[in-house]
Amino acid sequence: MIIDIHGHYTTAPKALEEWRNRQIAGIKDPSAMPRVSELKISDDELRETIESNQLRLMKERGSDLTLFSPRASFMAHHIGDFNVSATWAAICNELCYRVSQLFPDNFIGAAMLPQSPGVDPATCIPELVKCVEEYGNVGINLNPDPSGGHWTSPPLSDRHWYPLYEKMVEYDIPAMVHVSTSCNCAFHTTGAHYLNADTTAFMQCLTSDLFKDFPTLRFVIPHGGGAVPYHWGRFRGLAQELKKPLLKDHLLGNIFFDTCVYHQPGIDLLTKVIPVDNILFASEMIGAVRGIDPETGHYYDDTKRYIEGTLNLSAEERFKVYEGNARRVYPRLDAALKAKGL
């Protein structure tokens, strides 16, 4: 089975964005704030957006199941207050749940959290609980910077985040560490802010003893880990200077990387540097990089081609990347598949 652990609902019906624009307008003018009931999206509309986009490409490219979460750039936790974020997260999570019900063999949910700058992350727990217990979500997306590029939150190692970690450990679910839109003009959202955050999250964990407090806590760092694999020697050296254990003992029991790296040399480097047990297949298709690579004639985000093309993986190792590691890192996914006899 080819399991893509990084998918977002980037093709949601236009009505969703229109409702969100009204919600944002309502922050300044409460009389303009829309009711949730005013958002009308039919099952047929959901089917059309999925069948003509994500599902079509999954079939063309040969993937079977996608972990599906709300569009990352639309999370925009910096907009409004907690109530705005809570309402928006609930709407987006419900849409992804409906997609998973319409296409149960192809999509399973990962939850967006209703984070808000300066607000206790414990306020996110009710939405997390609902998404796991009612929607069957198998993971969450955790934004380490709800401020949108200004980095006003404590590092991921701070006790500020511990209430969420405790619930994650209770449910045995991982978090993909994924920021949202940058409202800082110094950082392009997908080209800088995302990759900066991937690298920053890893370093925050490296400089801490977070996983001593939470030995079973698991983070997936997307986009191939940002700069981490390319600068693996730097991080090993920094850990050594800080008198931390070897990275394989200090972090690699808890931190994993996806394959959203959009050229063959990048996947070759990732699979050469990072142990195969820490690599999970992903594409983030119809995401940040949607075009066709003129050097290959194929879509940049058709990452399965790179997994197939690398000489660094055996058949057994490809199985781990495509399926085995995802089942291990996402135990609720494994349980859901086993319940279907898979």
Side-chain angles (χ1 to χ4, degrees), residues 212-231:
K212 287 185 178 179
D213 286 349
F214 296 98
T216 62
L217 184 68
R218 297 182 303 284
F219 290 151
V220 177
I221 299 184
H223 319 116
V228 174
Y230 187 65
H231 286 287

Side-chain angles (χ1 to χ4, degrees), residues 9 68-70 91-101 109-110:
Y9 197 3
F68 208 51
S69 63
I91 285 173
C92 292
N93 285 328
E94 183 185 22
L95 281 182
C96 288
Y97 169 65
R98 288 173 61 191
V99 169
S100 73
Q101 294 299 104

Side-chain angles (χ1 to χ4, degrees), residues 53-218:
N53 291 291
Q54 281 87 353
L55 189 57
R56 174 180 61 83
L57 291 178
M58 288 170 66
K59 291 177 178 178
E60 289 178 4
R61 299 177 185 182
S63 63
D64 301 302
L65 177 67
T66 296
L67 272 64
F68 208 51
S69 63
R71 185 173 180 175
S73 62
F74 270 27
M75 295 192 297
H77 293 121
H78 61 279
I79 294 176
D81 59 13
F82 172 75
N83 289 327
V84 168
S85 282
T87 301
W88 179 232
I91 285 173
C92 292
N93 285 328
E94 183 185 22
L95 281 182
C96 288
Y97 169 65
R98 288 173 61 191
V99 169
S100 73
Q101 294 299 104
L102 291 170
F103 303 95
D105 294 333
N106 304 109
F107 298 93
I108 193 165
M112 166 185 169
L113 298 179
Q115 297 176 245
S116 190
V119 177
D120 186 345
T123 56
C124 296
I125 290 176
E127 182 69 17
L128 187 160
V129 170
K130 180 188 72 178
C131 287
V132 171
E133 296 192 356
E134 297 181 25
Y135 294 169
N137 283 194
V138 299
I140 63 173
N141 290 339
L142 176 64
N143 184 353
D145 174 37
S147 73
H150 295 290
W151 290 93
T152 57
S153 294
L156 291 172
S157 54
D158 192 271
R159 297 190 70 87
H160 170 81
W161 302 99
Y162 276 28
L164 271 179
Y165 298 161
E166 290 164 359
K167 187 57 69 170
M168 288 170 58
V169 168
E170 177 186 338
Y171 281 135
D172 202 14
I173 57 171
M176 176 170 283
V177 182
H178 205 309
V179 289
S180 186
T181 297
S182 169
C183 56
N184 182 337
C185 62
F187 303 115
H188 182 275
T189 294
T190 54
H193 187 41
Y194 281 18
L195 304 182
N196 293 345
D198 303 333
T199 309
T200 298
F202 185 83
M203 192 64 195
Q204 288 177 354
C205 294
L206 186 153
T207 56
S208 76
D209 293 313
L210 173 62
F211 300 123
K212 287 185 178 179
D213 286 349
F214 296 98
T216 62
L217 184 68
R218 297 182 303 284

